[in-house]
Amino acid sequence: MAYTIKEIAEALGAVAEGDSSFEVEGLSEPASARAQDLALASNPSYADALTSGKAQAALLWANADWEGMGLRAAIRIGRPRHAMAELTRLYDYAWAKGSGVHDTAVIAPSANVSDAAIGPLSVIGDRVRIDAGAHIGAHVTIGAGTQIGPGAMIRDGVRIAHGVTIGAGFVAQPGALIGGDGFSFTTPEPSAAETVRETLGEDVGEAQTWERIHSLGGVEIGDDVEVGAGSSIDRGTIRATRIGTGTKIDSLVQVGHNVEVGDHTLLCGQVGIGGSTVIGSHCILGGKTGVVDNVTVGDRVVTGAGTLVMANVPDGRVMLGYPATQMKASLDTYKALRRLPRDIAALKKAVSKLRGSD
């Protein structure tokens, strides 16, 4: 599919410059651009690559001299990276939603499926409701009583269990699992985990056998939520696990039972959130962040990669380290540890001199 420079500019709310009828067949980095590609040059550091490549058209920073670069057409915009959201949507052919139900798909008679494309070997359970415009890939299973809002994109191999409620514009990447049982077990007497927490490791208690606590709650997901490949969101024990509107979950993320995640929060790759924890809105949890169970993380909190959150975090904090501390304090501690061998060596040398002067 090709779009003219004029059509692209209109989609971006920008102005086409030069030959607005020039047709763009794809997007490319400047150095590897073909003649019919739109080169993506977000800042002046790409200028040399533009002139050495074959690009005739480019998306450029606001004050770029596109004519001086020998281009035939250009779109200049204040924040080129933000423009890439709409640009990549236009050219993502895999995102194009098909139509029809594959012959091998199994749909329960009581299911209500409106104008959806359903791929081969997918199974739609009893009383499922899928609103209009959904695209459901191959080998997808959707459990009984689940409701999915309009415009869903559910890719191959996704598993959505029973009793899940999902809003509009939902996206699930291959292999995502939503609504599996929570990791909830109990013991007749206090378990080792309870004893260790109470005694701070002085005692581990008696050996116990584990008994399952069944997960009767579901999962409730707001509008415009994305869940990455291989990620898992456990259902609640009694009440539902909740994911707020606009939240984006990367690949290989684990969200435990009864967790509540606010609106427009990012959970990056390999984040793990313990059961019954609350994560606020507009947070960013960096890759491999761990959050223990039963704590509250406020709104607009940012954690660096590999952070372990072991206590409540107030609104607006930036956290780093293990255990998590405010980023500046964590970096100061790290720097002090790096200096420690040198400081100890200097101290030994000073003490040795003092002893030699006695």
Side-chain angles (χ1 to χ4, degrees), residues 268-274 279 284-292 297 301-313 317-328 330-331:
C268 300
Q270 299 185 37
V271 162
I273 302 174
I279 307 293
I284 302 173
L285 304 191
K288 290 193 174 182
T289 290
V291 187
V292 302
V297 175
V301 168
V302 178
T303 66
T307 297
L308 179 60
V309 178
M310 302 179 68
N312 295 341
V313 180
R317 286 281 175 87
V318 181
M319 308 296 286
L320 183 66
Y322 176 7
T325 55
Q326 291 192 62
M327 181 172 281
K328 185 179 185 306
S330 180
L331 291 173

PDB file of all heavy atoms in Angstrom, residues 268-274 279 284-292 297 301-313 317-328 330-331:
ATOM      1  N   CYS A 268       7.288  -2.487  31.918  1.00  0.00           N
ATOM      2  CA  CYS A 268       8.270  -2.924  30.926  1.00  0.00           C
ATOM      3  C   CYS A 268       8.647  -4.394  31.143  1.00  0.00           C
ATOM      4  O   CYS A 268       8.246  -5.025  32.108  1.00  0.00           O
ATOM      5  CB  CYS A 268       9.505  -2.031  30.991  1.00  0.00           C
ATOM      6  SG  CYS A 268       9.133  -0.283  30.666  1.00  0.00           S
ATOM      7  N   GLY A 269       9.426  -4.933  30.202  1.00  0.00           N
ATOM      8  CA  GLY A 269       9.712  -6.355  30.143  1.00  0.00           C
ATOM      9  C   GLY A 269      10.207  -6.946  31.455  1.00  0.00           C
ATOM     10  O   GLY A 269      11.049  -6.376  32.138  1.00  0.00           O
ATOM     11  N   GLN A 270       9.655  -8.114  31.800  1.00  0.00           N
ATOM     12  CA  GLN A 270      10.042  -8.906  32.969  1.00  0.00           C
ATOM     13  C   GLN A 270       9.710  -8.248  34.299  1.00  0.00           C
ATOM     14  O   GLN A 270      10.239  -8.643  35.339  1.00  0.00           O
ATOM     15  CB  GLN A 270      11.520  -9.294  32.905  1.00  0.00           C
ATOM     16  CG  GLN A 270      11.849 -10.138  31.682  1.00  0.00           C
ATOM     17  CD  GLN A 270      13.271 -10.632  31.671  1.00  0.00           C
ATOM     18  OE1 GLN A 270      13.818 -10.968  32.710  1.00  0.00           O
ATOM     19  NE2 GLN A 270      13.871 -10.682  30.494  1.00  0.00           N
ATOM     20  N   VAL A 271       8.835  -7.276  34.301  1.00  0.00           N
ATOM     21  CA  VAL A 271       8.310  -6.753  35.561  1.00  0.00           C
ATOM     22  C   VAL A 271       7.497  -7.851  36.234  1.00  0.00           C
ATOM     23  O   VAL A 271       6.763  -8.596  35.582  1.00  0.00           O
ATOM     24  CB  VAL A 271       7.446  -5.499  35.322  1.00  0.00           C
ATOM     25  CG1 VAL A 271       6.541  -5.210  36.514  1.00  0.00           C
ATOM     26  CG2 VAL A 271       8.329  -4.292  35.036  1.00  0.00           C
ATOM     27  N   GLY A 272       7.622  -7.956  37.550  1.00  0.00           N
ATOM     28  CA  GLY A 272       6.821  -8.893  38.327  1.00  0.00           C
ATOM     29  C   GLY A 272       6.164  -8.174  39.486  1.00  0.00           C
ATOM     30  O   GLY A 272       6.843  -7.477  40.245  1.00  0.00           O
ATOM     31  N   ILE A 273       4.845  -8.320  39.617  1.00  0.00           N
ATOM     32  CA  ILE A 273       4.099  -7.624  40.668  1.00  0.00           C
ATOM     33  C   ILE A 273       3.411  -8.654  41.552  1.00  0.00           C
ATOM     34  O   ILE A 273       2.604  -9.460  41.080  1.00  0.00           O
ATOM     35  CB  ILE A 273       3.059  -6.663  40.059  1.00  0.00           C
ATOM     36  CG1 ILE A 273       3.746  -5.645  39.136  1.00  0.00           C
ATOM     37  CG2 ILE A 273       2.298  -5.938  41.162  1.00  0.00           C
ATOM     38  CD1 ILE A 273       2.793  -4.752  38.395  1.00  0.00           C
ATOM     39  N   GLY A 274       3.736  -8.632  42.839  1.00  0.00           N
ATOM     40  CA  GLY A 274       3.164  -9.572  43.785  1.00  0.00           C
ATOM     41  C   GLY A 274       1.693  -9.309  44.058  1.00  0.00           C
ATOM     42  O   GLY A 274       1.169  -8.215  43.815  1.00  0.00           O
ATOM     43  N   ILE A 279      -0.662  -0.410  42.031  1.00  0.00           N
ATOM     44  CA  ILE A 279       0.239   0.442  41.248  1.00  0.00           C
ATOM     45  C   ILE A 279      -0.585   1.618  40.735  1.00  0.00           C
ATOM     46  O   ILE A 279      -1.665   1.421  40.160  1.00  0.00           O
ATOM     47  CB  ILE A 279       0.849  -0.324  40.058  1.00  0.00           C
ATOM     48  CG1 ILE A 279       1.508  -1.631  40.506  1.00  0.00           C
ATOM     49  CG2 ILE A 279       1.836   0.569  39.303  1.00  0.00           C
ATOM     50  CD1 ILE A 279       2.728  -1.475  41.360  1.00  0.00           C
ATOM     51  N   ILE A 284       5.868   4.370  35.397  1.00  0.00           N
ATOM     52  CA  ILE A 284       6.724   3.602  34.486  1.00  0.00           C
ATOM     53  C   ILE A 284       7.587   2.687  35.339  1.00  0.00           C
ATOM     54  O   ILE A 284       8.429   3.165  36.109  1.00  0.00           O
ATOM     55  CB  ILE A 284       7.619   4.517  33.625  1.00  0.00           C
ATOM     56  CG1 ILE A 284       6.784   5.502  32.803  1.00  0.00           C
ATOM     57  CG2 ILE A 284       8.505   3.666  32.701  1.00  0.00           C
ATOM     58  CD1 ILE A 284       7.618   6.540  32.064  1.00  0.00           C
ATOM     59  N   LEU A 285       7.366   1.381  35.229  1.00  0.00           N
ATOM     60  CA  LEU A 285       8.205   0.413  35.925  1.00  0.00           C
ATOM     61  C   LEU A 285       9.187  -0.162  34.918  1.00  0.00           C
ATOM     62  O   LEU A 285       8.797  -0.864  33.981  1.00  0.00           O
ATOM     63  CB  LEU A 285       7.367  -0.696  36.554  1.00  0.00           C
ATOM     64  CG  LEU A 285       6.262  -0.271  37.537  1.00  0.00           C
ATOM     65  CD1 LEU A 285       5.708  -1.488  38.265  1.00  0.00           C
ATOM     66  CD2 LEU A 285       6.754   0.771  38.528  1.00  0.00           C
ATOM     67  N   GLY A 286      10.473   0.153  35.095  1.00  0.00           N
ATOM     68  CA  GLY A 286      11.504  -0.292  34.169  1.00  0.00           C
ATOM     69  C   GLY A 286      11.672  -1.797  34.171  1.00  0.00           C
ATOM     70  O   GLY A 286      11.216  -2.507  35.074  1.00  0.00           O
ATOM     71  N   GLY A 287      12.360  -2.301  33.150  1.00  0.00           N
ATOM     72  CA  GLY A 287      12.538  -3.726  32.973  1.00  0.00           C
ATOM     73  C   GLY A 287      13.095  -4.415  34.215  1.00  0.00           C
ATOM     74  O   GLY A 287      13.967  -3.892  34.886  1.00  0.00           O
ATOM     75  N   LYS A 288      12.555  -5.598  34.513  1.00  0.00           N
ATOM     76  CA  LYS A 288      12.964  -6.428  35.649  1.00  0.00           C
ATOM     77  C   LYS A 288      12.683  -5.778  36.998  1.00  0.00           C
ATOM     78  O   LYS A 288      13.225  -6.204  38.021  1.00  0.00           O
ATOM     79  CB  LYS A 288      14.437  -6.825  35.562  1.00  0.00           C
ATOM     80  CG  LYS A 288      14.723  -7.823  34.451  1.00  0.00           C
ATOM     81  CD  LYS A 288      16.100  -8.435  34.596  1.00  0.00           C
ATOM     82  CE  LYS A 288      16.292  -9.536  33.545  1.00  0.00           C
ATOM     83  NZ  LYS A 288      17.610 -10.197  33.683  1.00  0.00           N
ATOM     84  N   THR A 289      11.831  -4.763  37.033  1.00  0.00           N
ATOM     85  CA  THR A 289      11.390  -4.248  38.326  1.00  0.00           C
ATOM     86  C   THR A 289      10.539  -5.314  39.015  1.00  0.00           C
ATOM     87  O   THR A 289       9.673  -5.923  38.397  1.00  0.00           O
ATOM     88  CB  THR A 289      10.571  -2.959  38.163  1.00  0.00           C
ATOM     89  OG1 THR A 289      11.426  -1.900  37.735  1.00  0.00           O
ATOM     90  CG2 THR A 289       9.902  -2.550  39.469  1.00  0.00           C
ATOM     91  N   GLY A 290      10.800  -5.527  40.291  1.00  0.00           N
ATOM     92  CA  GLY A 290       9.970  -6.409  41.099  1.00  0.00           C
ATOM     93  C   GLY A 290       9.267  -5.603  42.168  1.00  0.00           C
ATOM     94  O   GLY A 290       9.860  -4.702  42.765  1.00  0.00           O
ATOM     95  N   VAL A 291       7.990  -5.917  42.402  1.00  0.00           N
ATOM     96  CA  VAL A 291       7.228  -5.245  43.458  1.00  0.00           C
ATOM     97  C   VAL A 291       6.642  -6.330  44.349  1.00  0.00           C
ATOM     98  O   VAL A 291       5.925  -7.206  43.874  1.00  0.00           O
ATOM     99  CB  VAL A 291       6.101  -4.367  42.883  1.00  0.00           C
ATOM    100  CG1 VAL A 291       5.443  -3.558  44.000  1.00  0.00           C
ATOM    101  CG2 VAL A 291       6.632  -3.429  41.798  1.00  0.00           C
ATOM    102  N   VAL A 292       6.959  -6.304  45.635  1.00  0.00           N
ATOM    103  CA  VAL A 292       6.474  -7.341  46.540  1.00  0.00           C
ATOM    104  C   VAL A 292       4.969  -7.205  46.738  1.00  0.00           C
ATOM    105  O   VAL A 292       4.348  -6.229  46.319  1.00  0.00           O
ATOM    106  CB  VAL A 292       7.201  -7.280  47.896  1.00  0.00           C
ATOM    107  CG1 VAL A 292       8.703  -7.435  47.716  1.00  0.00           C
ATOM    108  CG2 VAL A 292       6.879  -5.978  48.636  1.00  0.00           C
ATOM    109  N   VAL A 297       2.114   1.546  45.387  1.00  0.00           N
ATOM    110  CA  VAL A 297       3.002   2.429  44.630  1.00  0.00           C
ATOM    111  C   VAL A 297       2.139   3.567  44.095  1.00  0.00           C
ATOM    112  O   VAL A 297       1.139   3.324  43.407  1.00  0.00           O
ATOM    113  CB  VAL A 297       3.687   1.667  43.481  1.00  0.00           C
ATOM    114  CG1 VAL A 297       4.509   2.619  42.616  1.00  0.00           C
ATOM    115  CG2 VAL A 297       4.563   0.540  44.026  1.00  0.00           C
ATOM    116  N   VAL A 301       5.044   7.337  39.550  1.00  0.00           N
ATOM    117  CA  VAL A 301       6.289   6.761  40.062  1.00  0.00           C
ATOM    118  C   VAL A 301       7.058   6.143  38.900  1.00  0.00           C
ATOM    119  O   VAL A 301       6.487   5.504  38.021  1.00  0.00           O
ATOM    120  CB  VAL A 301       5.995   5.688  41.135  1.00  0.00           C
ATOM    121  CG1 VAL A 301       7.251   4.880  41.466  1.00  0.00           C
ATOM    122  CG2 VAL A 301       5.434   6.352  42.386  1.00  0.00           C
ATOM    123  N   VAL A 302       8.380   6.343  38.889  1.00  0.00           N
ATOM    124  CA  VAL A 302       9.261   5.754  37.880  1.00  0.00           C
ATOM    125  C   VAL A 302      10.292   4.895  38.598  1.00  0.00           C
ATOM    126  O   VAL A 302      10.891   5.333  39.582  1.00  0.00           O
ATOM    127  CB  VAL A 302       9.969   6.842  37.046  1.00  0.00           C
ATOM    128  CG1 VAL A 302      10.919   6.211  36.027  1.00  0.00           C
ATOM    129  CG2 VAL A 302       8.945   7.722  36.326  1.00  0.00           C
ATOM    130  N   THR A 303      10.502   3.667  38.086  1.00  0.00           N
ATOM    131  CA  THR A 303      11.566   2.824  38.637  1.00  0.00           C
ATOM    132  C   THR A 303      12.561   2.495  37.533  1.00  0.00           C
ATOM    133  O   THR A 303      12.182   2.252  36.388  1.00  0.00           O
ATOM    134  CB  THR A 303      11.019   1.504  39.219  1.00  0.00           C
ATOM    135  OG1 THR A 303      10.475   0.690  38.166  1.00  0.00           O
ATOM    136  CG2 THR A 303       9.944   1.774  40.254  1.00  0.00           C
ATOM    137  N   GLY A 304      13.838   2.487  37.894  1.00  0.00           N
ATOM    138  CA  GLY A 304      14.869   2.088  36.949  1.00  0.00           C
ATOM    139  C   GLY A 304      14.901   0.580  36.796  1.00  0.00           C
ATOM    140  O   GLY A 304      14.320  -0.177  37.581  1.00  0.00           O
ATOM    141  N   ALA A 305      15.609   0.108  35.783  1.00  0.00           N
ATOM    142  CA  ALA A 305      15.697  -1.323  35.516  1.00  0.00           C
ATOM    143  C   ALA A 305      16.272  -2.061  36.717  1.00  0.00           C
ATOM    144  O   ALA A 305      17.215  -1.603  37.364  1.00  0.00           O
ATOM    145  CB  ALA A 305      16.559  -1.572  34.287  1.00  0.00           C
ATOM    146  N   GLY A 306      15.682  -3.228  37.021  1.00  0.00           N
ATOM    147  CA  GLY A 306      16.198  -4.073  38.083  1.00  0.00           C
ATOM    148  C   GLY A 306      15.872  -3.620  39.486  1.00  0.00           C
ATOM    149  O   GLY A 306      16.394  -4.171  40.452  1.00  0.00           O
ATOM    150  N   THR A 307      14.988  -2.662  39.630  1.00  0.00           N
ATOM    151  CA  THR A 307      14.622  -2.168  40.957  1.00  0.00           C
ATOM    152  C   THR A 307      13.746  -3.189  41.692  1.00  0.00           C
ATOM    153  O   THR A 307      12.901  -3.831  41.081  1.00  0.00           O
ATOM    154  CB  THR A 307      13.866  -0.828  40.833  1.00  0.00           C
ATOM    155  OG1 THR A 307      14.745   0.142  40.260  1.00  0.00           O
ATOM    156  CG2 THR A 307      13.378  -0.324  42.174  1.00  0.00           C
ATOM    157  N   LEU A 308      13.928  -3.314  42.995  1.00  0.00           N
ATOM    158  CA  LEU A 308      13.065  -4.157  43.817  1.00  0.00           C
ATOM    159  C   LEU A 308      12.358  -3.273  44.840  1.00  0.00           C
ATOM    160  O   LEU A 308      12.978  -2.747  45.769  1.00  0.00           O
ATOM    161  CB  LEU A 308      13.852  -5.250  44.538  1.00  0.00           C
ATOM    162  CG  LEU A 308      13.009  -6.161  45.435  1.00  0.00           C
ATOM    163  CD1 LEU A 308      11.939  -6.879  44.626  1.00  0.00           C
ATOM    164  CD2 LEU A 308      13.874  -7.163  46.174  1.00  0.00           C
ATOM    165  N   VAL A 309      11.056  -3.123  44.656  1.00  0.00           N
ATOM    166  CA  VAL A 309      10.240  -2.292  45.542  1.00  0.00           C
ATOM    167  C   VAL A 309       9.723  -3.177  46.671  1.00  0.00           C
ATOM    168  O   VAL A 309       8.977  -4.125  46.437  1.00  0.00           O
ATOM    169  CB  VAL A 309       9.064  -1.658  44.773  1.00  0.00           C
ATOM    170  CG1 VAL A 309       8.187  -0.838  45.715  1.00  0.00           C
ATOM    171  CG2 VAL A 309       9.589  -0.776  43.632  1.00  0.00           C
ATOM    172  N   MET A 310      10.105  -2.840  47.909  1.00  0.00           N
ATOM    173  CA  MET A 310       9.760  -3.675  49.059  1.00  0.00           C
ATOM    174  C   MET A 310       8.879  -2.944  50.065  1.00  0.00           C
ATOM    175  O   MET A 310       8.531  -3.509  51.109  1.00  0.00           O
ATOM    176  CB  MET A 310      11.036  -4.158  49.749  1.00  0.00           C
ATOM    177  CG  MET A 310      11.949  -4.948  48.834  1.00  0.00           C
ATOM    178  SD  MET A 310      13.474  -5.511  49.626  1.00  0.00           S
ATOM    179  CE  MET A 310      12.832  -6.713  50.777  1.00  0.00           C
ATOM    180  N   ALA A 311       8.515  -1.689  49.767  1.00  0.00           N
ATOM    181  CA  ALA A 311       7.684  -0.908  50.685  1.00  0.00           C
ATOM    182  C   ALA A 311       6.869   0.083  49.862  1.00  0.00           C
ATOM    183  O   ALA A 311       7.096   0.268  48.661  1.00  0.00           O
ATOM    184  CB  ALA A 311       8.560  -0.171  51.699  1.00  0.00           C
ATOM    185  N   ASN A 312       5.920   0.739  50.505  1.00  0.00           N
ATOM    186  CA  ASN A 312       5.091   1.727  49.818  1.00  0.00           C
ATOM    187  C   ASN A 312       5.951   2.842  49.227  1.00  0.00           C
ATOM    188  O   ASN A 312       6.967   3.229  49.805  1.00  0.00           O
ATOM    189  CB  ASN A 312       4.082   2.340  50.783  1.00  0.00           C
ATOM    190  CG  ASN A 312       3.070   1.327  51.303  1.00  0.00           C
ATOM    191  OD1 ASN A 312       2.885   0.267  50.719  1.00  0.00           O
ATOM    192  ND2 ASN A 312       2.411   1.661  52.395  1.00  0.00           N
ATOM    193  N   VAL A 313       5.515   3.355  48.082  1.00  0.00           N
ATOM    194  CA  VAL A 313       6.235   4.445  47.414  1.00  0.00           C
ATOM    195  C   VAL A 313       5.257   5.608  47.208  1.00  0.00           C
ATOM    196  O   VAL A 313       4.198   5.424  46.592  1.00  0.00           O
ATOM    197  CB  VAL A 313       6.806   3.994  46.049  1.00  0.00           C
ATOM    198  CG1 VAL A 313       7.542   5.154  45.381  1.00  0.00           C
ATOM    199  CG2 VAL A 313       7.730   2.796  46.219  1.00  0.00           C
ATOM    200  N   ARG A 317       7.730   9.689  42.998  1.00  0.00           N
ATOM    201  CA  ARG A 317       9.100   9.305  43.325  1.00  0.00           C
ATOM    202  C   ARG A 317       9.768   8.588  42.150  1.00  0.00           C
ATOM    203  O   ARG A 317       9.114   7.887  41.380  1.00  0.00           O
ATOM    204  CB  ARG A 317       9.113   8.361  44.531  1.00  0.00           C
ATOM    205  CG  ARG A 317       8.831   9.046  45.854  1.00  0.00           C
ATOM    206  CD  ARG A 317      10.061   9.766  46.392  1.00  0.00           C
ATOM    207  NE  ARG A 317       9.770  10.511  47.605  1.00  0.00           N
ATOM    208  CZ  ARG A 317       9.827   9.997  48.828  1.00  0.00           C
ATOM    209  NH1 ARG A 317      10.141   8.726  49.005  1.00  0.00           N
ATOM    210  NH2 ARG A 317       9.576  10.756  49.868  1.00  0.00           N
ATOM    211  N   VAL A 318      11.086   8.747  42.043  1.00  0.00           N
ATOM    212  CA  VAL A 318      11.907   8.002  41.083  1.00  0.00           C
ATOM    213  C   VAL A 318      12.788   7.068  41.897  1.00  0.00           C
ATOM    214  O   VAL A 318      13.594   7.523  42.723  1.00  0.00           O
ATOM    215  CB  VAL A 318      12.761   8.944  40.216  1.00  0.00           C
ATOM    216  CG1 VAL A 318      13.577   8.146  39.211  1.00  0.00           C
ATOM    217  CG2 VAL A 318      11.864   9.946  39.489  1.00  0.00           C
ATOM    218  N   MET A 319      12.639   5.767  41.677  1.00  0.00           N
ATOM    219  CA  MET A 319      13.272   4.767  42.537  1.00  0.00           C
ATOM    220  C   MET A 319      14.252   3.906  41.744  1.00  0.00           C
ATOM    221  O   MET A 319      14.075   3.663  40.548  1.00  0.00           O
ATOM    222  CB  MET A 319      12.204   3.868  43.165  1.00  0.00           C
ATOM    223  CG  MET A 319      11.083   4.604  43.879  1.00  0.00           C
ATOM    224  SD  MET A 319      11.648   5.544  45.325  1.00  0.00           S
ATOM    225  CE  MET A 319      11.951   4.207  46.484  1.00  0.00           C
ATOM    226  N   LEU A 320      15.273   3.428  42.460  1.00  0.00           N
ATOM    227  CA  LEU A 320      16.288   2.596  41.828  1.00  0.00           C
ATOM    228  C   LEU A 320      16.931   1.713  42.890  1.00  0.00           C
ATOM    229  O   LEU A 320      17.052   2.101  44.046  1.00  0.00           O
ATOM    230  CB  LEU A 320      17.362   3.480  41.170  1.00  0.00           C
ATOM    231  CG  LEU A 320      18.485   2.780  40.391  1.00  0.00           C
ATOM    232  CD1 LEU A 320      17.940   2.084  39.161  1.00  0.00           C
ATOM    233  CD2 LEU A 320      19.546   3.807  39.972  1.00  0.00           C
ATOM    234  N   GLY A 321      17.344   0.518  42.487  1.00  0.00           N
ATOM    235  CA  GLY A 321      18.175  -0.307  43.350  1.00  0.00           C
ATOM    236  C   GLY A 321      17.447  -1.418  44.068  1.00  0.00           C
ATOM    237  O   GLY A 321      16.256  -1.634  43.920  1.00  0.00           O
ATOM    238  N   TYR A 322      18.252  -2.134  44.904  1.00  0.00           N
ATOM    239  CA  TYR A 322      17.769  -3.308  45.617  1.00  0.00           C
ATOM    240  C   TYR A 322      18.305  -3.256  47.034  1.00  0.00           C
ATOM    241  O   TYR A 322      19.488  -3.463  47.248  1.00  0.00           O
ATOM    242  CB  TYR A 322      18.250  -4.556  44.887  1.00  0.00           C
ATOM    243  CG  TYR A 322      17.941  -5.893  45.525  1.00  0.00           C
ATOM    244  CD1 TYR A 322      17.130  -6.009  46.654  1.00  0.00           C
ATOM    245  CD2 TYR A 322      18.485  -7.047  44.991  1.00  0.00           C
ATOM    246  CE1 TYR A 322      16.857  -7.230  47.223  1.00  0.00           C
ATOM    247  CE2 TYR A 322      18.209  -8.294  45.557  1.00  0.00           C
ATOM    248  CZ  TYR A 322      17.395  -8.373  46.676  1.00  0.00           C
ATOM    249  OH  TYR A 322      17.121  -9.596  47.236  1.00  0.00           O
ATOM    250  N   PRO A 323      17.430  -2.943  48.009  1.00  0.00           N
ATOM    251  CA  PRO A 323      16.029  -2.544  47.848  1.00  0.00           C
ATOM    252  C   PRO A 323      15.913  -1.138  47.278  1.00  0.00           C
ATOM    253  O   PRO A 323      16.883  -0.368  47.296  1.00  0.00           O
ATOM    254  CB  PRO A 323      15.482  -2.612  49.275  1.00  0.00           C
ATOM    255  CG  PRO A 323      16.675  -2.331  50.134  1.00  0.00           C
ATOM    256  CD  PRO A 323      17.843  -2.966  49.429  1.00  0.00           C
ATOM    257  N   ALA A 324      14.727  -0.813  46.777  1.00  0.00           N
ATOM    258  CA  ALA A 324      14.528   0.469  46.096  1.00  0.00           C
ATOM    259  C   ALA A 324      14.726   1.641  47.039  1.00  0.00           C
ATOM    260  O   ALA A 324      14.207   1.661  48.159  1.00  0.00           O
ATOM    261  CB  ALA A 324      13.127   0.518  45.499  1.00  0.00           C
ATOM    262  N   THR A 325      15.506   2.629  46.590  1.00  0.00           N
ATOM    263  CA  THR A 325      15.614   3.912  47.266  1.00  0.00           C
ATOM    264  C   THR A 325      15.474   4.989  46.202  1.00  0.00           C
ATOM    265  O   THR A 325      15.490   4.705  45.001  1.00  0.00           O
ATOM    266  CB  THR A 325      16.972   4.070  47.989  1.00  0.00           C
ATOM    267  OG1 THR A 325      18.031   3.853  47.045  1.00  0.00           O
ATOM    268  CG2 THR A 325      17.107   3.072  49.122  1.00  0.00           C
ATOM    269  N   GLN A 326      15.349   6.247  46.642  1.00  0.00           N
ATOM    270  CA  GLN A 326      15.254   7.312  45.654  1.00  0.00           C
ATOM    271  C   GLN A 326      16.504   7.307  44.763  1.00  0.00           C
ATOM    272  O   GLN A 326      17.612   7.035  45.239  1.00  0.00           O
ATOM    273  CB  GLN A 326      15.082   8.659  46.337  1.00  0.00           C
ATOM    274  CG  GLN A 326      13.727   8.801  47.025  1.00  0.00           C
ATOM    275  CD  GLN A 326      13.456  10.214  47.452  1.00  0.00           C
ATOM    276  OE1 GLN A 326      13.372  11.138  46.634  1.00  0.00           O
ATOM    277  NE2 GLN A 326      13.302  10.408  48.760  1.00  0.00           N
ATOM    278  N   MET A 327      16.319   7.598  43.503  1.00  0.00           N
ATOM    279  CA  MET A 327      17.372   7.388  42.512  1.00  0.00           C
ATOM    280  C   MET A 327      18.673   8.080  42.889  1.00  0.00           C
ATOM    281  O   MET A 327      19.750   7.481  42.788  1.00  0.00           O
ATOM    282  CB  MET A 327      16.908   7.846  41.125  1.00  0.00           C
ATOM    283  CG  MET A 327      17.944   7.634  40.047  1.00  0.00           C
ATOM    284  SD  MET A 327      17.317   7.952  38.381  1.00  0.00           S
ATOM    285  CE  MET A 327      16.423   6.438  38.072  1.00  0.00           C
ATOM    286  N   LYS A 328      18.620   9.323  43.341  1.00  0.00           N
ATOM    287  CA  LYS A 328      19.869  10.031  43.674  1.00  0.00           C
ATOM    288  C   LYS A 328      20.612   9.327  44.803  1.00  0.00           C
ATOM    289  O   LYS A 328      21.831   9.138  44.744  1.00  0.00           O
ATOM    290  CB  LYS A 328      19.576  11.476  44.049  1.00  0.00           C
ATOM    291  CG  LYS A 328      20.849  12.296  44.285  1.00  0.00           C
ATOM    292  CD  LYS A 328      20.542  13.731  44.630  1.00  0.00           C
ATOM    293  CE  LYS A 328      21.833  14.539  44.729  1.00  0.00           C
ATOM    294  NZ  LYS A 328      22.818  13.948  45.661  1.00  0.00           N
ATOM    295  N   SER A 330      20.391   6.183  45.621  1.00  0.00           N
ATOM    296  CA  SER A 330      20.889   4.903  45.115  1.00  0.00           C
ATOM    297  C   SER A 330      22.169   5.094  44.316  1.00  0.00           C
ATOM    298  O   SER A 330      23.141   4.336  44.474  1.00  0.00           O
ATOM    299  CB  SER A 330      19.815   4.229  44.252  1.00  0.00           C
ATOM    300  OG  SER A 330      20.264   2.996  43.749  1.00  0.00           O
ATOM    301  N   LEU A 331      22.209   6.123  43.473  1.00  0.00           N
ATOM    302  CA  LEU A 331      23.407   6.378  42.673  1.00  0.00           C
ATOM    303  C   LEU A 331      24.574   6.826  43.550  1.00  0.00           C
ATOM    304  O   LEU A 331      25.722   6.428  43.315  1.00  0.00           O
ATOM    305  CB  LEU A 331      23.102   7.435  41.607  1.00  0.00           C
ATOM    306  CG  LEU A 331      22.156   6.983  40.485  1.00  0.00           C
ATOM    307  CD1 LEU A 331      21.797   8.159  39.580  1.00  0.00           C
ATOM    308  CD2 LEU A 331      22.761   5.850  39.673  1.00  0.00           C
TER     309      LEU A 331
END
